[in-house]
Amino acid sequence: MSRLNELLEAYRDGEKQYIEISASVSCREFCTDEVYCMGSGPDQLNRIGNGDNLQYMEYLIKDQKLKGKFQLIYVDPPFFSDSRYQASTRMESQFLGKSGLVKTGAYEDRWNMDFGEYIRMLTVRLLMMRDLLSDTGCLWVHLDWHAVHYVKVILDQIFGEKNFINEIIWTYKSGGANKRNFARKHDTLLFYSKTDNYIFNPQTEKSYNRGLRPYRFKGVEEYEDETGWYTIVNMKDVWSIDMVGRTSSERTGYSTQKPEKLIERIVRACSNEGDLCADFFAGSGSFGAVCGRLGRSWVMCDSGDFAAAAQAYRMASINQNFILERSADGFGSTDSGTIVVNAGEYGIELTDYKLDISGLHCSSRETVEEYYSRDSLSLVKFWGADTDYSGGAYRIDRLYDSADRKIQIKNNRKGQRIAVIGYNVFGGRFSAEIHI
C-alpha cells in the first residue's frame, strides 16, 4: 500500500474511533488520588492525569464537562522515531552521598514501523483536542522530520486549511550528524486555531542592524546592548533556543524535556492570564511549570509513571495547588514497594523502604543494589504526609526528600490517622497508613 493510501485509511479509522467514543454515554472514570495544597492556583482546575490520554480527554469532556473550555493545547507526541527514550535519575544517601546518573525507561516511540497505527493514534486524539478547545482556542503540535509533513495533512483535514496559522521552526545546537546528510538541528511546530476568532498576542524580538551600527532613520527607535545596535520587531517564525543543558536548573532528567523558554513563547502568544491550558503528552511537565508561573490554569496527562512523578514534584516545588488523577481501574493498586514508618508522640519517622529491585529496568544495577542494601531510603525521591487522613485522596501540603526522614506533627493526638505518600527515584509510588 502506498504511503498516501495508508494515510487516508489510517485517518478514516481514527475518525471512526472518535465517532464511536463521542456517541458512547459511558467513559473511563478517573479518581482523585492525591491533592497537593502547596499555596497558589485554583484547586480544581490544575490537574495531572496519569493514564491513557485518550481516556483522560474523554473523561474531561463527559465527566468533568470541559468541552470547549481550553484556550490553548500544546502537545509534543511521539515523533515516529523508532526509538526508546530514557530518563536519568540519582540516589542520595546520608552515608554514601549522591550517586552517579542511573538511567531508566521513560517511554517508547516504537510502532514496528506501522505508520498507519501511528496516524490512527494521533488522529483520534487530535479530534478530541478539537472538542476540548474553545472557539478562541489554539493548538500547537510539536514534531520533527519523521512525520510532521504527514501530520500536517491530518491537521488540515481536522481544523481546516484556513485555520493553519504558522509553521514554527525551532533550531538548536544539539543533535547528531553523519556523513550522508546535513545535520538535523530543528523541530517543527504546527500552529492551528479552531476558528478565525482566535487569541494571538504578538511577541517581539531584537533585530540587529547590519554591521551592528545605528541606522539613524527618522522615526525608528534604536537600542544598543553588548552585541550592538538593534530595533524591536515582531517575532519571526524561526526560533533559535538552546535545549535544556546538563547543568540547567530546569533539568529533570527526562531525555526529551523541552526548554521553558520555548513553551513560554507559545503560552504568552496564545493565552491570557487565568485561561485554561493543556498538554496531553506532558513528559517532564515543562508546559505546566510555565503555565503556573504565568498565571494560567493547567491540565497535564501522561501514561508514564516516571513522568507523572516528575510532574507532581515539579509543580509542588513551584507552590502550585493541583490534583493527581488516575484511572479508577487501577486506583489504590499502584504502590511500588513498602515504606516503613514509625509513629510516636513527636510525629513520624521513615525507617525503611522495601522494594523488589530485581524487577527494575535500569542501568548501573550494581550501584542501585549498593545504595538499596546500605540505605534503602536513598531510593526515595520525595514524600509527603496527610496528617488528618480520613480515607480516599491523600492531601499533601509539603514535600520532603530522602534526607528528611523524621518530621514533627503539629497538634498530634492519640489515635490520629496519618497517611504517608511518596515516590521513588524511578517513578514508583508508595503509601502507608499509621496511627499516633
Side-chain angles (χ1 to χ4, degrees), residues 90-104:
R90 296 180 189 271
M91 296 160 291
E92 192 160 359
S93 168
Q94 294 179 346
F95 316 113
L96 301 171
K98 186 177 291 188
S99 75
L101 288 177
V102 177
K103 294 185 177 181
T104 185

Side-chain angles (χ1 to χ4, degrees), residues 89-100 102 313 367 371-372 374-381 401-405 425:
T89 188
R90 296 180 189 271
M91 296 160 291
E92 192 160 359
S93 168
Q94 294 179 346
F95 316 113
L96 301 171
K98 186 177 291 188
S99 75
V102 177
Y313 181 77
T367 301
Y371 272 72
Y372 178 69
R374 295 183 61 184
D375 182 9
S376 64
L377 291 174
S378 66
L379 268 65
V380 172
K381 173 65 175 178
D401 59 27
S402 60
D404 299 311
R405 304 182 177 189
V425 294

Side-chain angles (χ1 to χ4, degrees), residues 133-206:
L133 280 174
S134 70
D135 287 343
T136 61
C138 299
L139 171 72
W140 288 67
V141 180
H142 187 148
L143 292 164
D144 74 355
W145 61 272
H146 289 93
V148 66
H149 310 93
Y150 302 107
V151 175
K152 185 186 182 302
V153 175
I154 300 299
L155 286 165
D156 283 347
Q157 179 67 24
I158 294 173
F159 285 86
E161 295 177 46
K162 64 182 177 62
N163 290 323
F164 173 56
I165 310 301
N166 271 116
E167 176 189 51
I168 301 297
I169 301 301
W170 168 37
T171 179
Y172 39 77
K173 296 178 182 178
S174 305
N178 62 49
K179 296 181 179 180
R180 294 182 60 82
N181 58 260
F182 295 107
R184 296 182 174 118
K185 301 286 187 178
H186 80 272
D187 290 359
T188 303
L189 290 87
L190 302 175
F191 167 20
Y192 282 79
S193 65
K194 186 172 181 178
T195 70
D196 60 2
N197 184 33
Y198 61 96
I199 288 177
F200 182 71
N201 305 310
Q203 304 296 294
T204 59
E205 63 182 358
K206 296 178 180 179

Side-chain angles (χ1 to χ4, degrees), residues 239-306:
W239 300 350
S240 180
I241 299 173
D242 288 341
M243 286 189 170
V244 180
R246 294 182 179 181
T247 60
S248 171
S249 59
E250 289 182 34
R251 194 168 182 84
T252 65
Y254 207 80
S255 60
T256 56
Q257 180 182 352
K258 300 305 183 290
E260 290 189 13
K261 185 176 180 180
L262 173 73
I263 304 300
E264 183 172 336
R265 290 187 181 182
I266 297 168
V267 173
R268 287 189 182 276
C270 294
S271 69
N272 295 319
E273 192 169 344
D275 283 340
L276 180 59
C277 308
D279 180 354
F280 294 108
F281 293 88
S284 64
S286 297
F287 184 82
V290 170
C291 286
R293 176 162 51 82
L294 297 181
R296 277 70 166 170
S297 297
W298 51 267
V299 172
M300 293 190 288
C301 182
D302 203 289
S303 60
D305 291 340
F306 188 94

Side-chain angles (χ1 to χ4, degrees), residues 344-388:
E345 294 182 0
Y346 63 86
I348 59 174
E349 180 180 10
L350 307 190
T351 59
D352 195 12
Y353 180 45
K354 299 178 180 179
L355 180 68
D356 180 9
I357 61 174
S358 65
L360 292 174
H361 298 286
C362 63
S363 66
S364 307
R365 180 164 293 280
E366 291 183 358
T367 301
V368 175
E369 290 174 350
E370 180 184 10
Y371 272 72
Y372 178 69
S373 63
R374 295 183 61 184
D375 182 9
S376 64
L377 291 174
S378 66
L379 268 65
V380 172
K381 173 65 175 178
F382 69 94
W383 62 283
D386 184 340
T387 59
D388 195 19

